[in-house]
Amino acid sequence: MRPLMKALKDLLEEMGQDASRIVLTMDRWFASPQLFQFLDSYQVGFICRIKSDLPLMVPWDPYNTVTAGQISHEELAVEYADMDLRFVRSDYHEGMKQKEPWFLLTNITKEKLSRRQVVNYYAK
């Protein structure tokens, strides 16, 4: 992650305030607490697919984690790596490579992007 974060830092500093308009979509390999915290510190929006076994803190059990695959909500406020994030679960539909829905984490608020928009961004 260090080389990626260094390159992103250089790019984001070059962009200045324009960086806040960026939305990065990332696959499961990028679900790194360090990367999420780095992007959030630069106010860069991200949508990252996560594995179904990633442990998340949920509102109904603040002392224990629940894996993403155990969350049946389509959308939920969660905590991961000491960050308040938004969990978005996609619908399964014909043509998806796997029968498992996508489990997405994002720092983008509902006011900026609806659940459907988050899923569509990731799908593109």
Side-chain angles (χ1 to χ4, degrees):
M1 277 304 151
R2 279 192 189 141
L4 172 63
M5 289 178 9
K6 182 183 179 330
L8 283 171
K9 180 181 181 199
D10 293 343
L11 175 65
L12 295 171
E13 288 178 355
E14 183 71 27
M15 293 180 69
Q17 289 184 321
D18 287 340
S20 64
R21 298 182 331 165
I22 296 173
V23 174
L24 292 178
T25 56
M26 305 173 283
D27 202 10
R28 295 176 280 201
W29 188 83
F30 294 94
S32 158
Q34 295 84 6
L35 181 59
F36 287 179
Q37 290 165 349
F38 169 81
L39 294 172
D40 202 54
S41 73
Y42 278 90
Q43 300 175 352
V44 172
F46 63 82
I47 301 166
C48 186
R49 184 173 175 189
I50 58 173
K51 293 183 177 183
S52 63
D53 63 352
L54 186 75
L56 303 169
M57 297 295 288
V58 291
W60 61 84
D61 194 354
Y63 302 105
N64 296 299
T65 59
V66 173
T67 63
Q70 292 175 304
I71 300 173
S72 60
H73 294 71
E74 291 182 337
E75 184 172 1
L76 183 68
V78 297
E79 184 180 319
Y80 175 68
D82 295 323
M83 295 180 70
D84 293 325
L85 297 172
R86 187 172 156 207
F87 170 85
V88 173
R89 181 187 178 113
S90 75
D91 302 318
Y92 170 75
H93 58 81
E94 288 299 319
M96 290 180 72
K97 293 179 184 176
Q98 300 167 345
K99 294 200 183 245
E100 179 181 90
W102 293 331
F103 305 108
L104 306 172
L105 282 183
T106 183
N107 64 344
I108 302 170
T109 65
K110 291 181 189 182
E111 292 74 30
K112 290 186 180 177
L113 290 179
S114 70
R115 177 185 164 276
R116 178 57 42 207
Q117 289 171 314
V118 168
V119 172
N120 288 344
Y121 259 83
Y122 184 78
K124 287 181 184 178

